[in-house]
Amino acid sequence: MRSELPSVESLKDLHWQTPLQVYSQDGLLISQFGEKKRTPLTLEQVPQQLIDALLATEDDRFYMHFGVDPIGMGRAVLGKLMGQDKGGASTITMQVARNFFLTREVTYTRKIREIFLSFHIESLLSKDEILMLYINKIELGHRAFGFGAAAQVYYGKEISDLNLAQIAVLAGLPKAPSTLNPIRSPERAKARRSVVLQRMLISGYISDLQYQTAKNEPITGKKHGAEIELNAPYVAEMAHNEILKRYGKEKAYTEGYKVFTTVTAKLQTAAEQALVNNLLNYDQRHGYRGPLISLRPQSTVSTNVPNANALPLSQEEITKALSEIDYYQMLEPAVVLAVEEQSVSIQLHSKKITNIKWQGLAWARPYINDQKQGNPPKLASDILRYGDIILVSKMPDSNYRLGQLPTASAAIVSLSTDDGAIKAAVGGFSFEQSQFNRVTQAKRQVGSNIKPFIYSAALEHGFTLASLVNDAPINQWDRSSGAVWRPRNSPENYAGPIRVREALARSKNVIAVRLLQSIGLSNTINHLTTFGFNKSDLPRSETLALGAASLTPLEVATGFAAFANGGFLVEPYLIERIENSDGEIIYQANPALACDPCVEIIELEEPVQDIAILHTDTMLTDGIEVNNEELVIQADESVIAIKQAVRVISAQNAFLITQALNSAIWGSDWSVKPGWQGTGWRARTLARRDIAGKTGTTNEAKDAWFSGFSRRLITTSWIGFDDPRHMLGQSVYNNNLGKNQTTGTEFGAKSAQPAWIDFMRIALADIEAEDFQPPVDIVSVRIDKATGKLTTKTDTTSQFEYFRLGNVPTEYVAEDNSSEILSGSKEKEEELF
C-alpha cells in the first residue's frame, strides 16, 4: 500500500495556481482571467476568528492528533448511530490529503490511502503549514479556492475585513460548498452559520454576546467579481490573448502572472467617455426609433393615467418586463407611468420613480431612415405613451434623458509616437454587448485618411508643398467596368490649379488621383507598404487614392505615427511588463525607439553588479525577457543598450506632410486674412498649434475617420456600421417645402472628429506644447500663393513655405524682376510661419 501512495514531498515547495491579472500602467486592476479564483494567504493574514471557526467546526483536536483523530472518529460514528451531527471523522490533515492527492469517491481503499497520506504529511510539515494548505486549497463554491478568494467572491472584501457572522458563513462552506453558500441558498447558509457559531461558543472561542449578535446578523453574501478598478475590457482581452500566445492556456491561468499594460487610467477613461458620448450624439442626430416594447400597445395616452379601458400595470408586470431588457453603459431601462404635456413620469429598473423633463425629450424626432427624420416633437405624447419600455440615462445635473442603444459602432486608439506604446484603446460601445474589437479586428475602408500617404509618395517623386495641381473634374474611361470613371470632390467644388499643401488640407479627391497617376500605381503601393500596411489590403487601382484600402484603426494610427515622429515605423505594443506570482519581473518591454541618431545608452539609476544576456526565446531563472532582442547589461556600469525603429520616410518628408496636416486644422490663417480652412478646423477648439490631422470619409459615407497627432501622441477615431450600412447624414421634414430637406452629411469631421477632440483635450493637458521642428535640409522661402513661385512681395498674396533643400522653386512670379534665387534676406530664407 505504501508504495502506491503519491509523494507528498511537493507540499514542501507548493506553487499555488492563481489566475492571470491585467493592470493599467498605473497599477489599477483591469481584469482577471482563470476559472479558479485564488488569493493565497499567509498565516499572519488569517484572522484568528477564522482559525477558531475552522478548528471548532472541522477539527477541534487538530493541534493534538497525529493526522488521524481516533476520538473524533469515535464521536462521529456515535453521532451517526444516535442521529446527531457530532462533526466529521475527517481531520484537517486528512482533508488536505484528499484535496491535493485523492478524489472524493467514497470507498474503503480511498479512506485507507487518505489515512496513510495524513501520517506522511504530519511527518513532513508543521501543524501551521498543514493548516495553511487547507485554508488556501479548500474549494468553497463559485470557483473560489481558499478562504482569501471566498471572501472576495461572497463579500467583495479582504478576509481581514470580515465580521464574525461572515467568517462563520465561510467556515461552514467546506461541508457542502455548492449548496450551503449564501448565493444559492441564504436559508441553508444561515442554518449552517448557526452550527458554526454554536460550536465556537461550546469550544470557548466566542462569548455568548458575540454568539447572539452574529447569529442575528442578516445573510449579506452575494456574488462579487474581481475588484475591477479600471473599466477597460477591450484592453484586457488584447493583453489576455497576447499572454495566451506567449505562455499557453495552462500556464496563463495558473501561474499568477500580473500583466502591466501601457494604458493609463486617465487616458483610457477619457477614450471610453469620448467614444460613448460621440456614438450617442451621432445616434440621436438621426432620430428616435421608438420604445423597446410597449406593455399597453392598445392604450391611448392620457395626461396622467392609462386609458380607462386598460388595466393599470401591476408592479409584477413592470418588474418582469424591466428585468428582461438588455442595457449597457450608462443606459438603463424604465417604464413610462404617465405622460404630461412636456414631461413623462417613469419607473427605473431599480424601482425608483422619477421623470424626464422636456430638455431630455425634445431631441426625439421620429427616425425614418439614416437620411430622414420627422418633425421635431412638440408634446411628450408625440414621443411616448403609457406602458412604453424605454432606455434612459442620468445627466450630470441629475435629470434623466431619453436614450436608445446606438446602432452604429466606433473605435478609438491612441499611441505614443516615440515607441508605439498603446495609451488607450476602446473597440466599441460596450464589450458586454459585443466582444468584437474594432481597434484591431475591423478592417474598414479608410477614405481620405489614406491621402497623407499618397502625398508622401508624391513628395518622394518631385512634388513640393507649393506644386500646382489642377483641381478639376476627371472623366476617364474604365475598361474593366466599361464605363466612365468620374471621381469627384466632396463637396463637389473645384478650385482649378491649387497648391499641394492646400489640396491635402482641404482633402481634394481629384488632386489625390492626379498625384497617384503622376507617380504611378506601383510606386504608390510600394511607398504605402513601408508604413506597415499589408500590400494585399491596398487595391491595385486608382481608387486607392480615394481610400478604397481597408485597414484597422490600429494600422492607421501606426502609419500616422511616422509623420509625427520624424519618419520612423514604431511597432504598437500593449504589455509593459509581466510579473510572476512572487512579484519578480519575467518580461520587460524594450520597444524600438523613434530616434536618429539614437543615444547609444540609457542611464540606469544604479550600477548593476552582474552581466546578464537576456532573450525572449529562453527564460533564464533570474533573467528578464526583452522584446525579441538580446539585451546586454554591462557589469559595474549604469548603461543598457537600446533599439532604433526602422526609418521608412525621410525626416524632411515627414515634416512637410505634417505641415500640410497642420494646415488641415489651422487653414491659411498665417496671413492677415484667412483664404481657406482645412477639413479638420473643428480641432482649433483645442487651441493647440502643435497638432495636425486628417479627416476621412468613404464612398457613400459608410465609414468616417479622424486621425490626428501631436509630436508625442497619435490618436485615430473611427465610426461606422458593422454591417456596413450607409451613413448618409440626416434630414428633416420641411413644412414649407413639403419634403425632407437634408441638413448635413455625416463625414469624418462631423462624426469621428468630435470623439478625437474630446479625448485629446484631456490627453494633451499633460503634454507640453511642442512645435514640429524642421529637420536639416529644410528651408523656408516666400512664395506667391496663386502660383507657388518665388516672390519678393510681403503682402497677403504671399506666404512662407517649407521646401527640401534642392527642391526650392527657381522661378519668380511674372511681375518679379529679380534674378536672384535664395539670395534675399535671412528673414526670407529662414522665417517660419
Side-chain angles (χ1 to χ4, degrees):
M1 171 65 72
R2 193 172 185 86
S3 62
E4 297 176 3
L5 295 176
S7 172
V8 296
E9 294 288 334
S10 59
L11 295 180
K12 285 187 173 181
D13 187 24
L14 186 65
H15 177 73
W16 292 113
Q17 293 183 350
T18 50
L20 167 70
Q21 293 181 316
V22 180
Y23 293 86
S24 65
Q25 188 182 60
D26 34 4
L28 300 183
L29 181 63
I30 294 176
S31 191
Q32 179 171 290
F33 298 90
E35 291 188 3
K36 293 184 178 181
K37 304 177 180 69
R38 194 188 301 278
T39 307
L41 302 170
T42 64
L43 182 61
E44 293 74 22
Q45 293 173 313
V46 181
Q48 186 60 46
Q49 282 188 332
L50 175 60
I51 295 175
D52 295 342
L54 292 174
L55 295 180
T57 308
E58 298 294 329
D59 191 353
D60 58 351
R61 291 171 48 81
F62 174 69
Y63 282 98
M64 293 179 278
H65 62 63
F66 45 86
V68 177
D69 184 11
I71 296 177
M73 280 189 173
R75 185 175 56 198
V77 171
L78 181 62
K80 290 288 185 182
L81 295 174
M82 297 177 63
Q84 298 177 356
D85 185 2
K86 297 290 185 178
S90 290
T91 65
I92 285 177
T93 309
M94 293 169 70
Q95 292 184 58
V96 168
R98 180 169 63 245
N99 287 327
F100 276 94
F101 301 111
L102 302 173
T103 66
R104 286 184 174 270
E105 62 176 343
V106 182
T107 64
Y108 289 112
T109 302
R110 194 223 68 191
K111 198 67 177 178
I112 294 171
R113 288 163 63 88
E114 185 178 296
I115 291 171
F116 277 102
L117 278 172
S118 299
F119 292 157
H120 196 187
I121 291 171
E122 290 272 348
S123 69
L124 286 173
L125 304 175
S126 69
K127 286 289 188 179
D128 286 347
E129 288 173 327
I130 296 170
L131 180 62
M132 290 312 301
L133 289 175
Y134 177 79
I135 286 175
N136 285 320
K137 175 69 174 180
I138 191 74
E139 183 178 356
L140 297 171
H142 287 277
R143 297 180 178 176
F145 290 79
F147 286 90
Q152 288 288 347
V153 168
Y154 294 110
Y155 298 108
K157 298 179 180 180
E158 297 294 328
I159 190 73
S160 58
D161 296 328
L162 302 185
N163 59 34
L164 175 59
Q166 294 166 332
I167 285 174
V169 169
L170 298 187
L173 291 176
K175 181 178 181 180
S178 62
T179 58
L180 294 178
N181 71 75
I183 297 173
R184 178 173 177 177
S185 179
E187 295 80 10
R188 295 187 68 179
K190 186 174 184 179
R192 179 62 178 166
R193 182 184 69 180
S194 295
V195 172
V196 173
L197 291 170
Q198 187 176 33
R199 290 181 180 172
M200 292 181 73
L201 177 64
I202 293 172
S203 299
Y205 291 124
I206 58 175
S207 66
D208 185 64
L209 177 61
Q210 288 176 304
Y211 168 74
Q212 294 295 340
T213 301
K215 183 181 178 181
N216 292 323
E217 286 282 335
I219 294 294
T220 58
K222 62 181 181 178
K223 191 168 185 179
H224 293 77
E227 191 175 347
I228 303 302
E229 298 168 296
L230 173 62
N231 182 43
Y234 289 103
V235 169
E237 190 59 31
M238 289 166 68
H240 173 214
N241 288 334
E242 190 168 335
I243 295 300
L244 288 178
K245 291 177 183 177
R246 182 182 291 271
Y247 298 116
K249 187 174 182 179
E250 183 175 351
K251 292 185 70 175
Y253 295 154
T254 61
E255 294 295 310
Y257 294 137
K258 292 184 177 180
V259 181
F260 290 85
T261 64
T262 54
V263 304
T264 63
K266 182 176 182 179
L267 296 193
Q268 182 63 32
T269 301
E272 174 135 351
Q273 290 177 345
L275 179 144
V276 168
N277 290 339
N278 188 49
L279 264 180
L280 291 173
N281 289 337
Y282 163 81
D283 192 70
Q284 292 181 11
R285 284 199 300 272
H286 289 258
Y288 182 55
R289 295 185 294 277
L292 301 174
I293 57 173
S294 182
L295 300 183
R296 288 289 183 268
Q298 301 302 318
S299 66
T300 58
V301 177
S302 174
T303 55
N304 293 299
V305 295
N307 185 285
N309 296 323
L311 293 175
L313 292 169
S314 68
Q315 187 58 53
E316 184 179 352
E317 283 181 283
I318 293 174
T319 300
K320 182 176 184 298
L322 294 181
S323 67
E324 294 174 350
I325 300 300
D326 293 328
Y327 57 102
Y328 310 97
Q329 293 290 358
M330 73 289 289
L331 298 172
E332 61 177 311
V335 61
V336 176
L337 299 180
V339 180
E340 307 293 343
E341 184 175 357
Q342 287 194 327
S343 68
V344 294
S345 174
I346 59 173
Q347 179 178 317
L348 301 174
H349 184 263
S350 63
K351 297 186 179 180
K352 174 184 176 181
I353 295 178
T354 184
N355 60 69
I356 308 176
K357 298 178 181 178
W358 185 244
Q359 55 264 41
L361 295 169
W363 67 269
R365 292 175 295 153
Y367 171 88
I368 299 174
N369 57 43
D370 287 327
Q371 303 176 58
K372 300 176 183 179
Q373 292 78 44
N375 285 327
K378 296 180 179 179
L379 301 171
S381 58
D382 295 335
I383 309 166
L384 298 170
R385 59 185 178 181
Y386 174 78
D388 283 347
I389 300 292
I390 59 177
L391 293 176
V392 300
S393 60
K394 192 173 185 179
M395 308 304 292
D397 61 2
S398 296
N399 288 316
Y400 282 85
R401 179 181 176 89
L402 176 65
Q404 60 188 1
L405 189 65
T407 55
S409 298
I412 190 169
V413 59
S414 190
L415 309 176
S416 164
T417 62
D418 290 322
D419 62 5
I422 297 175
K423 294 300 183 182
V426 185
F429 180 74
S430 166
F431 185 81
E432 185 180 359
Q433 176 196 18
S434 170
Q435 287 76 55
F436 183 65
N437 188 346
R438 295 153 191 87
V439 167
T440 59
Q441 295 176 291
K443 284 188 177 289
R444 303 301 296 251
Q445 287 194 347
V446 295
S448 295
N449 253 205
I450 203 68
K451 288 176 182 173
F453 306 101
I454 304 291
Y455 280 68
S456 172
L459 294 186
E460 291 300 306
H461 289 79
F463 287 87
T464 71
L465 294 186
S467 297
L468 290 182
V469 184
N470 193 19
D471 181 27
I474 295 174
N475 294 283
Q476 178 177 304
W477 179 256
D478 184 355
R479 291 182 180 179
S480 62
S481 65
V484 175
W485 184 49
R486 295 187 176 92
R488 294 181 173 89
N489 287 338
S490 179
E492 202 169 344
N493 300 324
Y494 301 91
I498 185 175
R499 285 176 290 111
V500 164
R501 175 194 283 268
E502 183 179 348
L504 179 54
R506 297 175 65 184
S507 198
K508 294 287 188 176
N509 288 340
V510 296
I511 300 297
V513 174
R514 293 186 189 280
L515 290 175
L516 183 147
Q517 291 173 336
S518 177
I519 62 181
L521 182 59
S522 293
N523 287 334
T524 302
I525 289 177
N526 289 338
H527 188 78
L528 265 58
T529 57
T530 65
F531 291 90
F533 305 146
N534 194 315
K535 187 172 288 189
S536 63
D537 293 328
L538 307 176
R540 289 199 62 83
S541 74
E542 292 176 356
T543 60
L544 175 63
L546 303 178
S550 294
L551 304 170
T552 67
L554 182 59
E555 290 171 330
V556 171
T558 303
F560 269 86
F563 298 128
N565 65 30
F568 297 93
L569 181 62
V570 292
E571 183 177 349
Y573 72 100
L574 179 65
I575 295 180
E576 178 67 32
R577 73 181 187 276
I578 303 171
E579 296 180 0
N580 63 18
S581 58
D582 295 323
E584 299 168 337
I585 298 176
I586 59 172
Y587 168 84
Q588 177 67 57
N590 183 35
L593 304 181
C595 49
D596 182 20
C598 284
V599 178
E600 293 300 326
I601 60 174
I602 298 178
E603 293 188 4
L604 301 178
E605 292 182 2
E606 297 180 0
V608 292
Q609 300 302 317
D610 301 313
I611 296 178
I613 302 178
L614 313 173
H615 304 265
T616 53
D617 54 355
T618 58
M619 179 72 73
L620 303 181
T621 302
D622 298 318
I624 304 173
E625 289 186 65
V626 182
N627 264 12
N628 300 316
E629 292 288 333
E630 183 179 280
L631 174 66
V632 180
I633 303 178
Q634 304 288 341
D636 299 320
E637 294 183 19
S638 301
V639 298
I640 183 172
I642 62 173
K643 299 184 296 182
Q644 178 179 321
V646 176
R647 177 175 286 286
V648 293
I649 55 174
S650 68
Q652 295 78 20
N653 186 301
F655 175 76
L656 294 173
I657 293 297
T658 296
Q659 287 300 305
L661 295 178
N662 179 265
S663 295
I665 293 174
W666 288 101
S668 61
D669 68 348
W670 50 77
S671 63
V672 176
K673 182 179 179 182
W676 52 266
Q677 62 183 11
T679 57
W681 61 268
R682 288 171 173 82
R684 294 182 190 178
T685 186
L686 298 177
R688 295 281 294 240
R689 289 279 182 166
D690 61 328
I691 55 175
K694 184 71 190 75
T695 54
T697 309
T698 63
N699 187 34
E700 297 181 312
K702 293 181 181 179
D703 301 272
W705 300 76
F706 190 83
S707 295
F709 54 88
S710 69
R711 170 60 188 87
R712 305 295 171 183
L713 196 69
I714 163 67
T715 303
T716 289
S717 170
W718 167 84
I719 186 172
F721 287 91
D722 287 335
D723 313 24
R725 292 165 49 187
H726 291 185
M727 248 184 1
L728 293 176
Q730 74 255 38
S731 58
V732 295
Y733 190 83
N734 188 313
N735 286 319
N736 295 327
L737 297 178
K739 62 180 181 180
N740 280 284
Q741 182 180 21
T742 299
T743 60
T745 299
E746 294 290 347
F747 46 86
K750 185 174 183 179
S751 302
Q753 192 181 22
W756 184 91
I757 291 172
D758 287 348
F759 171 75
M760 292 296 272
R761 179 175 285 111
I762 293 174
L764 292 177
D766 295 330
I767 301 176
E768 291 187 8
E770 183 177 358
D771 293 334
F772 300 103
Q773 294 298 327
V776 296
D777 294 337
I778 288 288
V779 296
S780 175
V781 298
R782 190 178 288 277
I783 63 167
D784 176 64
K785 288 183 180 180
T787 64
K789 297 179 181 180
L790 296 173
T791 182
T792 57
K793 288 189 175 183
T794 58
D795 58 18
T796 57
T797 66
S798 68
Q799 70 174 62
F800 280 92
E801 184 57 276
Y802 287 109
F803 296 89
R804 280 185 182 177
L805 194 62
N807 283 356
V808 181
T810 58
E811 185 180 353
Y812 276 82
V813 68
E815 56 267 34
D816 278 335
N817 297 319
S818 172
S819 60
E820 297 183 27
I821 301 173
L822 291 177
S823 60
S825 67
K826 183 177 180 63
E827 178 188 14
K828 284 196 296 182
E829 292 182 1
E830 298 180 358
E831 182 181 347
L832 306 181
F833 53 79

